[in-house]
């Protein structure tokens, strides 16, 4: 199983990891010095931290003995000795000593000495280690200088304004660096291929501003690039050398070098520089190149990458996520559910009557308040009748005067006076009858048995009322109806006979069924929403209710998939906005 992180980038290991040229040169110089001192040096070895600084003995039979010596060397025991072969004077002597490696860490160097051995042998070897340590320090200096050169190259690369310009700057400076540091590579040429669709495509080349992809030089360099891409490892076939770069287990770029040196392979030192520079620069160039892509290319690459994760090996989390998304789409699109609209509701009595003020006046007495049960004919409130009583007395006086004038005209047999007196009497009697009627209606009576729904006048005693003002609303207590306020966006889908379910604010735990029976064409605004009045009848047993109870009702208007239900309002809003904005 791969443990590679999403952003990890690796260079595939070469067939044989080459040792660091500086370490090799230092060991070879040490061996020559030992031979020059008259010691029979049969071989040297080094055990450092990185693999490039580990040089085993040429004789594989020494591996176990050498490993034991390396394990024995420490800060407290810097020198370890062992003999190999038959005991006595004919045995070879293995000597291991602790030294400082080019990276500043401790390492172990070893030497195999043939007999004869004397007491001067060990001091001479230890004395020669001074020259070896000096050579390793020089290698450390060269290593630091190489790191500084690499940082300089990356500084020039990051100063460019596009991915291709950065890649061109990197490959030009890297080629010049290798040519200057490794004299044997004076004719070195470099080409960088980017991998798209598992096929290498020419991107940049050293000392070349542009090249035709069908040119012989590009086609020739593409062959080792394709081989390295297919094998996913470095390829060295003089005069060609190719190194792929892997990211998330896939090759993303290939560096191809051509070294015309009479069939000789690219020097190990040059390979090390190219690998190091490529491993540091390629992630920057790749992300830069990805950032330069257009939006369609971004979308296409993301879709291709997602498809590979879903259909390719591994990526179990992506596969599980894709299965979950597919299942969700099936549920959203293929499974029909009840399509319901939601509307605020209020409970009203099936029969309602309004008690209004019969004339202008003032409230004198209030006998009931909303929520009280009343009987037909029960007094609800009384209006102030003092002015009416005065008016009644005045009208009676005028009537009596008219009657006296009428009797006088009859006695005198005065026909004109009789006619005038008769008319005055009739007018006085009608005015008196009107006053009597108002007095009789000064007490507002309940029109039927029921429940007072509205009309809380207890705190408004003495306040004026005008003729026709609604004073009380009385609802019958033997029947109820549900009134829904359906938004105008949903009213087109509502029809009489549709079923619904209601939950009251005071009884949210219980659901009650109802059936729509009447749609009103009158619109009203409630809570900022324009809608229409829709009446419904209860289905089944009616719970204990009171007029004015509120709740939420849901009316089933058909069936649809979940996606349609969830997006209908947004789509309708978008359609209306597009129509509004369309020129």
């Amino acid at each position: 199983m791969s443990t590679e992180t999403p952003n990890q980038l690796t260079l595939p290991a070469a067939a044989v990891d080459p040792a660091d040229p500086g370490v090799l040169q230092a060991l070879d110089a040490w061996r020559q010095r030992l031979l020059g001192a008259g010691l029979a040096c049969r071989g040297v070895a080094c055990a450092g931290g990185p693999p490039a600084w580990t040089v085993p003995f040429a004789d594989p039979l020494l591996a176990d003995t050498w490993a034991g010596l390396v394990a024995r060397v420490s800060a407290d025991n810097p020198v370890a000795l062992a003999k190999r072969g038959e005991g006595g004077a004919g045995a070879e002597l293995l000597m291991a000593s602790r030294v400082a490696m080019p990276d500043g860490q401790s390492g172990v160097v070893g030497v195999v000495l043939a007999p004869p051995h004397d007491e001067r042998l060990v001091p001479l070897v230890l004395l020669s280690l001074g020259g070896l340590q000096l050579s390793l320090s020089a290698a450390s200096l060269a290593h630091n200088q190489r790191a500084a050169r690499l940082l300089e190259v990356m500084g020039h690369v990051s100063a460019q304004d596009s991915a291709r310009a950065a890649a061109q700057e990197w490959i030009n400076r890297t080629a010049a660096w290798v040519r200057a540091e490794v004299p044997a590579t004076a004719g070195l040429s470099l080409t960088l291929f980017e991998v798209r669709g598992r096929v290498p495509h020419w991107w940049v080349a050293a000392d070349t501003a542009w090249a035709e992809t069908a040119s012989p030089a590009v086609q020739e360099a593409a062959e080792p690039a394709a081989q390295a891409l297919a094998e996913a490892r470095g390829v060295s076939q003089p005069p060609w050398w190719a190194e792929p770069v892997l990211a998330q287990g896939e090759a993303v770029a290939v560096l191809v070098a051509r070294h015309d040196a009479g069939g000789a392979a690219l020097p190990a030192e040059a390979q090390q520089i190219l690998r190091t520079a490529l491993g540091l620069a390629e992630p920057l160039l790749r992300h830069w190149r990805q950032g330069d892509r257009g939006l369609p290319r971004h979308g296409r690459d993301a879709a291709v990458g997602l498809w590979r994760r879903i259909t390719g090996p591994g990526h179990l989390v992506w596969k599980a996520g894709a299965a979950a998304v597919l299942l969700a789409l099936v549920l959203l699109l293929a499974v029909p559910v009840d399509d319901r609209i939601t509307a605020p509701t209020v409970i009203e009595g099936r029969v309602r009557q309004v008690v209004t003020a019969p004339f202008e006046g003032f409230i004198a007495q209030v006998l009931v308040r909303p929520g009280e049960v009343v009987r037909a004919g029960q007094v609800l409130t009384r209006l102030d009748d003092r002015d009416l009583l005065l008016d009644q007395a005045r009208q009676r006086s005028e009537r009596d005067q008219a009657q006296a004038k009428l009797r006088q005209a009859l006695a005198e047999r005065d026909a004109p006076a009789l006619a005038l007196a008769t008319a005055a009497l009739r007018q006085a009697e009608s005015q008196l009858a009107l006053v009597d009627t108002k007095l009789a209606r000064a007490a507002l009576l309940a029109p039927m048995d029921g429940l007072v729904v509205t009309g809380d006048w207890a705190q408004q005693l003495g306040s004026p009322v005008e003729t026709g003002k609604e004073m009380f609303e009385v609802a019958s207590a033997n029947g109820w109806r549900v009134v829904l306020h359906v938004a105008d966006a949903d009213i087109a889908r509502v029809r009489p006979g549709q079923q619904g379910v209601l939950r009251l604010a005071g009884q949210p735990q219980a659901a009650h069924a109802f059936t729509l029976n009447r749609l009103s064409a009158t619109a009203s605004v409630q809570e900022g929403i324009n809608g229409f009045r829709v009446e419904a009848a209860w289905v089944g047993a009616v719970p204990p209710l009171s007029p004015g109870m509120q709740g939420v009702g849901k009316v089933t208007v058909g069936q649809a998939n979940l996606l349609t239900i969830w997006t209908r309002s947004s789509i309708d809003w978008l359609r209306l906005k597009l129509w509004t904005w369309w020129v």
Side-chain angles (χ1 to χ4, degrees), residues 279-345:
L280 184 61
E282 201 285 330
L284 173 64
L285 298 176
R286 172 162 47 89
H287 291 299
W288 201 335
R289 184 171 66 247
Q290 292 175 350
D292 286 347
R293 295 175 300 174
L295 184 59
R297 179 75 180 276
H298 269 289
R300 187 186 70 83
D301 291 347
V304 171
L306 178 61
W307 179 253
R308 288 178 179 175
R309 289 187 181 94
I310 295 174
T311 59
H315 302 291
L316 296 181
V317 175
W318 284 94
K319 289 180 171 61
V325 171
L326 182 60
L327 178 60
L329 288 176
V330 171
L331 293 176
L332 289 175
L333 298 175
V335 179
V337 296
D338 288 340
D339 185 7
R340 300 187 297 180
I341 64 171
T342 303
T345 62

Side-chain angles (χ1 to χ4, degrees), residues 396-407:
R396 284 178 177 175
S397 175
E398 291 181 358
R399 184 195 61 181
D400 293 341
Q401 293 177 6
Q403 287 178 347
K405 290 180 180 180
L406 179 62
R407 287 194 296 271

